[in-house]
Amino acid sequence: MLRIVLAGLRVVATDPCPSLFGNLAAPTRMRAIALARQMDSVALLDRERALAAVRRLVLTPLDRPWLRTVELANEVLERRTVLPRPGRARSTHAVAVSLYMDKWWEQCLAGALRILADRGSVLEQVPVPSPWIEIRGNEPLDADESPADDSLDASSQEEKTRHVDLMFELRGATIIADAKYKLNSGALAAGDGYQVFAYSHTARSGTNGRLSDAAAILYPSRSPGSIYGGRLGGRRLRRATAPNYEARLLGLPFPAPSDLGSDVAWKSYLRRLADALELGLQGIASRPEAGTSDQPAGLAPVFE
């Protein structure tokens, strides 16, 4: 509920306003900013997710005093307008386009991988089973996995399944790709590391049923020419459990406005992105096994 209210305050504080109403809007914006600062411990939702949360929201009797506040936040979130830049008004028609940028970044990567990867091997949102299997009754610990229980409700099934963003084959090696829509300086966050670690043991290709041979964690970069780690192949990580398994952190070029101007410009961007991926993935999953490791589970840096 508070996340919905905060999303509404953010719209009030940041949405553009015609200059004619500037004097009226300024005090309202300042009050919205001041109130939002009092909610700094509340996670922020974007407009679309906040509107979806409103539709799912069920207020308890204790929440009833907030009803009018939530209604007002919903009114603010539903209002949309597109204002032309000064001197750019050539038409009375305007179109607003709203995108989930994290999903769009995945689509950019998928388009580039279809240029680079083995033909027909790129899969999106590949389901990954839970790394844990319920022990039923008195069955032994080493029993084979039990068949799926049709009596499980949909929510239980959803909790058991996650999805890896992308899975593809490159020169015969099966690779999982985790798209991250956030800037990164080359360090792998703990949550991301454990997520990829679980995927490395459980994700199977939908084309050949094999476990993956390597992983790539792909971030947008403000410096398209840079590769994390300052060396070819980005920052390399080795799984700390056997068998040997490599993951790479790569910073990749994010589309610029000029890349969206035409179909030719967009195809050129995808080609550049594919080239950057090829450079960053050179040699991945192609080196011979170098033994096993007794280190604790996780992803450990490869020191060269």
Side-chain angles (χ1 to χ4, degrees), residues 22-43:
N23 292 335
L24 296 175
T28 304
R29 284 180 173 171
M30 294 303 297
R31 289 196 296 270
I33 293 171
L35 181 54
R37 285 175 177 167
Q38 301 301 315
M39 304 170 68
D40 57 357
S41 62
V42 179

Side-chain angles (χ1 to χ4, degrees), residues 167-187:
M167 202 164 188
F168 62 98
E169 293 177 34
L170 185 63
R171 293 180 286 276
T174 300
I175 301 172
I176 58 175
D178 194 18
K180 299 296 183 186
Y181 184 66
K182 56 185 176 182
L183 294 176
N184 185 284
S185 60

Side-chain angles (χ1 to χ4, degrees), residues 106-119:
E106 289 179 23
Q107 292 301 306
C108 294
L109 294 169
L113 285 172
R114 288 190 173 93
I115 297 173
L116 172 66
D118 298 349
R119 183 181 296 274

Side-chain angles (χ1 to χ4, degrees), residues 80-282:
R80 291 179 177 275
T81 186
V82 179
L83 299 177
R85 294 180 181 178
R88 297 288 185 89
R90 299 178 181 176
S91 170
T92 58
H93 301 288
V95 177
V97 178
S98 179
L99 296 173
Y100 287 118
M101 298 303 292
D102 53 346
K103 296 300 179 185
W104 189 53
W105 176 232
E106 289 179 23
Q107 292 301 306
C108 294
L109 294 169
L113 285 172
R114 288 190 173 93
I115 297 173
L116 172 66
D118 298 349
R119 183 181 296 274
S121 69
V122 178
L123 302 174
E124 301 179 50
Q125 293 299 308
V126 179
V128 181
S130 169
W132 297 98
I133 301 170
E134 182 180 356
I135 299 176
R136 302 179 184 277
N138 295 320
E139 68 181 11
L141 188 61
D142 58 353
D144 292 337
E145 181 178 353
S146 302
D149 185 351
D150 294 333
S151 66
L152 292 175
D153 58 31
S155 61
S156 297
Q157 292 282 15
E158 184 177 352
E159 289 176 1
K160 287 176 173 286
T161 304
R162 294 294 183 266
H163 294 81
V164 64
D165 295 331
L166 296 159
M167 202 164 188
F168 62 98
E169 293 177 34
L170 185 63
R171 293 180 286 276
T174 300
I175 301 172
I176 58 175
D178 194 18
K180 299 296 183 186
Y181 184 66
K182 56 185 176 182
L183 294 176
N184 185 284
S185 60
L188 182 63
D192 296 338
Y194 282 112
Q195 180 187 48
V196 175
F197 176 77
Y199 288 167
S200 72
H201 280 290
T202 56
R204 292 185 179 274
S205 170
T207 57
N208 57 31
R210 289 171 42 196
L211 289 172
S212 60
D213 301 302
I217 302 97
L218 309 175
Y219 299 87
S221 174
R222 285 177 173 167
S223 303
S226 68
I227 299 179
Y228 295 149
R231 56 181 179 268
L232 183 67
R235 187 177 185 203
R236 297 173 53 207
L237 303 173
R238 180 183 62 240
R239 190 172 64 190
T241 58
N244 281 348
Y245 186 99
E246 183 180 350
R248 293 196 185 176
L249 274 66
L250 300 178
L252 299 166
F254 191 74
S258 58
D259 295 322
L260 308 178
S262 67
D263 186 56
V264 172
W266 179 247
K267 289 180 178 178
S268 175
Y269 163 73
L270 290 180
R271 179 71 261 180
R272 294 197 311 274
L273 183 57
D275 290 343
L277 279 164
E278 183 174 22
L279 178 65
L281 296 175
Q282 279 188 12

Side-chain angles (χ1 to χ4, degrees), residues 42-54:
V42 179
L44 181 63
L45 290 175
D46 61 39
R47 188 195 297 252
E48 288 75 15
R49 288 188 173 92
L51 285 169
V54 171

